[in-house]
Amino acid sequence: MDDVTPLLTAVDRLADRLRALPQSRLRAGAAAEGLALARELSLRAQRLEEPGTPPRIMPDAGMFVVADQVAVAGHDLAHALERAPGGVGGAPAAGGVGGGPAAGGVGGAPAAGGVAEAVALVGETAGRCGV
């Protein structure tokens, strides 16, 4: 699990910071940014876990829930990355099946760069939220 620790740390830290924001800051855009991140992390996890199936979009459950949505989506992606073929904890990929940038990586290792990319997304979102 050590390989996904940076992702887990980043999403937990952002979720905690979002929980601490006042309603005015959430309404001013932080909640929308958090929801967009949660949706992106969720889509990446779904592409790894269920390639070829249509993705389900995370619903907007309100500004006071967005921190939990970020945390859940980030932990789901970490779990998917650990178990992805060629991923940080999974079996080697066979012939590049399920690879590509949309799956969180390139070529035959769909999750190879997935952790770093996800951590970068979390960091960018935190910057846009001002936290």
Side-chain angles (χ1 to χ4, degrees), residues 49-93:
E49 292 174 336
E50 302 170 349
T53 61
R56 296 168 305 281
I57 305 300
M58 183 173 285
D60 183 348
M63 73 174 91
F64 298 114
V65 181
V66 73
D68 293 326
Q69 289 178 301
V70 167
V72 168
H75 281 255
D76 285 351
L77 179 57
H79 181 79
L81 287 167
E82 285 182 319
R83 283 146 187 83
V88 293

Side-chain angles (χ1 to χ4, degrees), residues 3 17 30-31 39:
D3 294 322
R17 290 178 178 171
R39 286 178 170 169

Side-chain angles (χ1 to χ4, degrees), residues 2 17 29 32 35 37 44 47-48 52 68 72 78-79 88 94 103 126:
D2 290 342
R17 290 178 178 171
L35 179 60
L37 173 66
R44 288 174 181 236
R47 287 182 187 125
L48 288 170
D68 293 326
V72 168
H79 181 79
V88 293

